[in-house]
Amino acid sequence: MRRRKFILFLGGVLAAWPLAAHPEQNAVKRVGILAPFNKNDPESQVNLAAFRQRLVELGWVEGRNVAIDYRFASGNTELIRVAATELVANSPDVIFVASNVSIMALQKVTTAIPIVFTGVSDPVGSGFVASLAKPSGNITGFQGYEPAIGGKWLEVLHEIAPAPASDRGSPQPERKCQRGFSGCS
C-alpha cells in the first residue's frame, strides 16, 4: 500500500513539476515601447503595425497574451524622460526603443528591465552595450549600419556632389554617435 501511495505521489509531483517550474507560462507578457516620435507620424505607425504583425506571426496577440504599453514623446527630450519613468513604473517584461535619447533616459531609471533597441547610432561607442555580440547588462539590440562607414559615406557624397567645404555639414567627433565620421574631409 505504501508503495502505491509513493508512486501516486511521485506521479503527481512529476505531473505538476512543469507547472511549478513555469508558473507564468500563461500570464500576459507586458511590453513597453518608448517612441521618440509623434503618435500620428505615418511612417512610425507603419513601423509599429509591422512590429505588431510580426508579434502575431510569432504567436503574441495583443489583448490575449501580450499587452503593449506605448509612450510617444514627439521628439521632446523632457517627454522622453517622463515616459521612461512611467514605463519603468509599470514594470513591463521588456522595453523596446529606437533612439539614443530613449536609451539614455531608461538607463537612469532601470538596470533590471530588459531594453531592446533598434535604429540607435553606435550603441557600443555611446556606452549602451559592451559589444553587439555580448552586450552585457540589461540592454541589447541591433543596428543597421557600422558607424565607421560614416566617413566613406561623406567621401562618396563629395564625389557625387562636390560642394564647398562651408556648405557641407561638419562631423562632430566629440559626439559619441558621430565618431565614425571623424577624419573626413
Side-chain angles (χ1 to χ4, degrees):
M1 193 64 133
R2 286 180 157 173
R3 188 172 162 183
R4 274 191 197 149
K5 285 184 178 179
F6 177 74
I7 291 173
L8 287 172
F9 170 75
L10 185 60
V13 168
L14 291 175
W17 193 317
L19 299 175
H22 304 289
E24 295 182 19
Q25 189 171 11
N26 295 325
V28 173
K29 298 298 181 185
R30 298 175 52 135
V31 175
I33 295 180
L34 180 52
F37 45 80
N38 186 301
K39 181 178 182 175
N40 299 318
D41 176 53
E43 182 180 343
S44 301
Q45 287 304 313
V46 168
N47 291 337
L48 287 174
F51 175 77
R52 287 189 299 269
Q53 178 58 39
R54 185 62 179 141
L55 284 178
V56 168
E57 292 168 5
L58 294 170
W60 297 98
V61 179
E62 198 169 0
R64 190 177 79 203
N65 57 359
V66 67
I68 303 176
D69 188 3
Y70 301 91
R71 292 291 189 272
F72 299 93
S74 300
N76 182 314
T77 305
E78 184 56 33
L79 286 177
I80 290 173
R81 284 191 207 113
V82 170
T85 303
E86 288 174 0
L87 276 177
V88 170
N90 290 337
S91 301
D93 294 297
V94 63
I95 299 174
F96 288 94
V97 299
S99 76
N100 288 41
V101 176
S102 298
I103 294 177
M104 287 187 282
L106 285 165
Q107 276 183 315
K108 293 177 182 173
V109 292
T110 185
T111 57
I113 298 171
I115 300 167
V116 179
F117 63 80
T118 183
V120 170
S121 59
D122 197 11
V124 176
S126 296
F128 302 140
V129 295
S131 78
L132 289 175
K134 295 184 179 185
S136 73
N138 66 319
I139 301 173
T140 190
F142 61 95
Q143 67 185 61
Y145 67 92
E146 170 59 38
I149 200 168
K152 191 65 174 175
W153 289 346
L154 288 176
E155 287 177 25
V156 171
L157 179 62
H158 181 68
E159 287 177 22
I160 295 170
S166 62
D167 289 350
R168 283 187 261 140
S170 61
Q172 300 172 0
E174 69 277 3
R175 293 184 62 195
K176 292 178 183 177
C177 64
Q178 291 191 8
R179 287 189 181 144
F181 291 94
S182 60
C184 305
S185 55

